[in-house]
Amino acid sequence: MALFRSLVFRAVPQSHSAAALSRGTLRLPSARCLSSAKEIPGPKALPIAGVLFSVLSDKDFDKNNIHLYFKKLFKIYGPIVKLKFPGKPTMVILSDPEDMKWIHHYTKDNPVRLGLEALHKARYLDEYFEKKGGITVEDGEEWWRVRKRVGPPVMKLANIRQYVPGMDGVAVDTLDRRLGSLDPNFTQDAEQMKCYTAALELLRCIFECEENLMWKIYPTKTFKTLQKSLKTLTEVCDRTLWEFKEEMKERNKRDPNHSPSLMEQLLLDSELSHKDIVTFMIDLLPGGTETTTSASLVLFYLLAKYPEIQAKAQEEVDRVLGRDLTPITPEQLNQLSYIRATLKESLRLLPPAIGTVRVLQNDIRIRGYTLQKGWCCLMTSAISGLDESQFAQSQDFVPDRWLQHRPLGQMHPYASLPFSHGKRMCIGIRISEQILSILIARTLQQFNLAWRGGDLRRKHTQVFEPVGPFPLTFTERN
């Protein structure tokens, strides 16, 4: 996207040192940026209604494609735009990776975000959770109390690599059944299916509650369904964790010197309660179902649409894994660098969300504008990730750009952030990347992919969701 950079100039934040300027790591501001009275540009805002009428009357506004409307605003007003909606904090949307970098920098010690209010309320209404909502919905001290304990073991790659055999087994089983149910004997009453269905329902209801706020006035049908799904997941995860504790005791008796698994490390942490871990397990489930499914479909689509990329990925898979289905080892997975590059590129081109949100806890200065405490900043990496000034051949699927030698040049580290950044980045990033890498490797090992239709369509709710039909075919390789 071509941005009108000549209209808005960069200001150096007051905290930046002269040494940084001398190193050339920061750009000098224009004199026109020095006034703190500058008004952030954006659509005209009316008293009470804010920009609501301006937005709804715009022929290009489509809530299912809100990113395209934001892109239009950036073209009109520049890389920072102010929006005020009724009943909501003032929102500032940003498209320049350098500005996103400073927002992340200023909020790094206490990263606060909006959203998931319905889930927060449902947990507070449920006596099981004892007014503790977990890292997905909490902010401040309560969020950090849990996040600092679960983060290190879950983000440690060596811990996630322990689960390669299990993830590989699931991928092989799935493909053997042509992407059907993992177990043909499962019924709707089976605990696995109840858990899967509840996770999908929970995610759907969270998104619907974010769109329709009537649940704040009275318990709507959607909110009640959210509560029911949460109850199901709580019962399953609570029972599973108690069973795991018993298994852990037996395992420790047999082999007291064995390396503890990820779950064992969490259970051994005296600062985490049983219910803290159950809540964390529930938070991981929706991300491990719907969002991972959407990301895998996007990658299947792109590989099918670009057969030359697919062939190159298959060459790597054949070289590392061969053509038989012997279990993948962590060492082999580490060698699949091109597979990881295809994943990174798919997340840049068709990311799972518009971007990252931060609520400012202090006034800050960017580009000569004052952004006030309490304002909400949306950093639109879904737009910066397609900016030609940031990525050469930005509209094309070019995994090679992520290889170590960077054949298309260096990229701004904040231009594509599909999993956010810093302390509040997606805690399931390692798990998601590993699952997707294994699934794609196993698929390309056995099948050639083809897409028999037009471009993949997606709609935006709280995240991007692929819209069917999906004319994707799997043909067994010779």
Side-chain angles (χ1 to χ4, degrees), residues 352-392:
I354 285 182
T356 303
V357 173
R358 291 290 181 268
V359 180
L360 299 180
Q361 303 304 295
N362 299 287
D363 292 356
I364 67 170
R365 293 284 301 278
I366 284 185
R367 292 180 175 267
Y369 302 114
T370 298
L371 279 61
Q372 298 177 20
K373 177 181 178 180
W375 284 10
C376 175
C377 293
L378 172 60
M379 294 160 278
T380 59
S381 58
I383 294 174
S384 61
L386 295 175
D387 187 347
E388 192 69 29
S389 70
Q390 302 295 335
F391 296 95

Side-chain angles (χ1 to χ4, degrees), residues 424-444:
R424 199 127 202 182
M425 74 185 303
C426 175
I427 201 166
I429 179 174
R430 300 289 193 195
I431 299 172
S432 177
E433 288 177 339
Q434 183 161 295
I435 291 173
L436 289 169
S437 295
I438 291 173
L439 178 60
I440 296 303
R442 283 304 195 190
T443 301
L444 295 181

Side-chain angles (χ1 to χ4, degrees), residues 188-214:
Q188 290 300 315
D189 293 332
E191 188 153 278
Q192 295 92 332
M193 288 302 298
K194 286 168 61 178
C195 189
Y196 174 74
T197 302
L200 295 184
E201 280 289 277
L202 182 73
L203 200 61
R204 178 186 65 81
C205 292
I206 289 172
F207 291 166
E208 289 187 10
C209 285
E210 292 294 319
E211 295 291 325
N212 186 342
L213 301 181
M214 293 303 294

Side-chain angles (χ1 to χ4, degrees), residues 8-277:
V8 185
F9 294 83
R10 182 176 316 284
V12 178
Q14 297 172 353
S15 60
H16 298 161
S17 66
L21 290 173
S22 67
R23 290 194 300 269
T25 56
L26 296 174
R27 283 175 273 179
L28 288 169
S30 165
R32 68 180 290 187
C33 283
L34 299 180
S35 171
S36 62
K38 286 179 61 180
E39 180 67 22
I40 300 174
K44 183 178 179 180
L46 300 175
I48 302 177
V51 299
L52 188 61
F53 292 140
S54 174
V55 171
L56 295 180
S57 63
D58 193 311
K59 63 180 179 62
D60 294 320
F61 174 74
D62 175 4
K63 70 175 185 178
N64 290 328
N65 290 283
I66 189 68
H67 60 298
L68 298 180
Y69 178 67
F70 286 166
K71 185 175 181 179
K72 175 182 177 178
L73 294 182
F74 289 133
K75 286 183 177 180
I76 295 172
Y77 299 108
I80 179 169
V81 180
K82 180 181 175 183
L83 299 170
K84 183 69 179 84
F85 292 99
K88 298 285 187 180
T90 296
M91 174 182 284
V92 176
I93 57 174
L94 306 106
S95 66
D96 190 304
E98 193 68 11
D99 295 336
M100 299 180 198
K101 171 185 173 182
W102 292 122
I103 295 294
H104 280 291
H105 169 75
Y106 286 124
T107 61
K108 64 182 175 64
D109 293 328
N110 186 20
V112 176
R113 64 187 185 191
L114 293 175
L116 306 183
E117 293 178 89
L119 178 60
H120 190 279
K121 181 175 181 179
R123 282 183 172 158
Y124 270 52
L125 290 175
D126 190 328
E127 293 182 358
Y128 177 91
F129 295 96
E130 301 175 346
K131 298 289 193 261
K132 295 177 181 178
I135 61 172
T136 299
V137 301
E138 295 285 8
D139 289 306
E141 292 183 5
E142 175 57 23
W143 165 77
W144 182 237
R145 178 187 71 83
V146 179
R147 181 61 172 80
K148 68 182 179 182
R149 310 309 305 180
V150 301
V154 175
M155 298 294 284
K156 187 177 180 181
L157 188 59
N159 284 338
I160 305 305
R161 287 292 192 253
Q162 296 179 41
Y163 297 93
V164 168
M167 293 177 181
D168 184 36
V170 171
V172 171
D173 287 346
T174 303
L175 293 169
D176 280 350
R177 292 182 175 86
R178 302 300 188 267
L179 305 180
S181 170
L182 296 186
D183 188 335
N185 296 317
F186 279 171
T187 66
Q188 290 300 315
D189 293 332
E191 188 153 278
Q192 295 92 332
M193 288 302 298
K194 286 168 61 178
C195 189
Y196 174 74
T197 302
L200 295 184
E201 280 289 277
L202 182 73
L203 200 61
R204 178 186 65 81
C205 292
I206 289 172
F207 291 166
E208 289 187 10
C209 285
E210 292 294 319
E211 295 291 325
N212 186 342
L213 301 181
M214 293 303 294
W215 63 270
K216 291 188 174 184
I217 301 173
Y218 68 95
T220 62
K221 180 180 179 181
T222 300
F223 184 74
K224 289 180 179 178
T225 303
L226 189 159
Q227 289 180 296
K228 181 181 178 181
S229 299
L230 179 60
K231 180 71 73 175
T232 298
L233 291 172
T234 303
E235 291 173 353
V236 172
C237 290
D238 183 80
R239 183 166 57 252
T240 300
L241 189 58
W242 282 116
E243 292 172 355
F244 186 87
K245 284 182 175 179
E246 292 302 315
E247 295 171 1
M248 179 177 159
K249 290 179 183 177
E250 294 299 319
R251 190 160 43 248
N252 287 337
K253 289 179 182 178
R254 295 193 306 268
D255 183 10
N257 297 317
H258 78 282
S259 297
S261 67
L262 169 60
M263 190 59 67
E264 287 175 313
Q265 291 177 45
L266 296 179
L267 287 169
L268 291 170
D269 190 326
S270 61
E271 295 190 32
L272 290 174
S273 70
H274 177 93
K275 291 182 179 180
D276 286 334
I277 300 174

Side-chain angles (χ1 to χ4, degrees), residues 175-176 178 314 323 443 445-449 473-478:
L175 293 169
D176 280 350
R178 302 300 188 267
Q314 284 175 325
R323 293 297 299 275
T443 301
Q445 184 186 37
Q446 300 179 64
F447 300 100
N448 292 316
L449 308 178
T473 63
F474 295 75
T475 305
E476 289 192 24
R477 295 178 62 190
N478 296 326

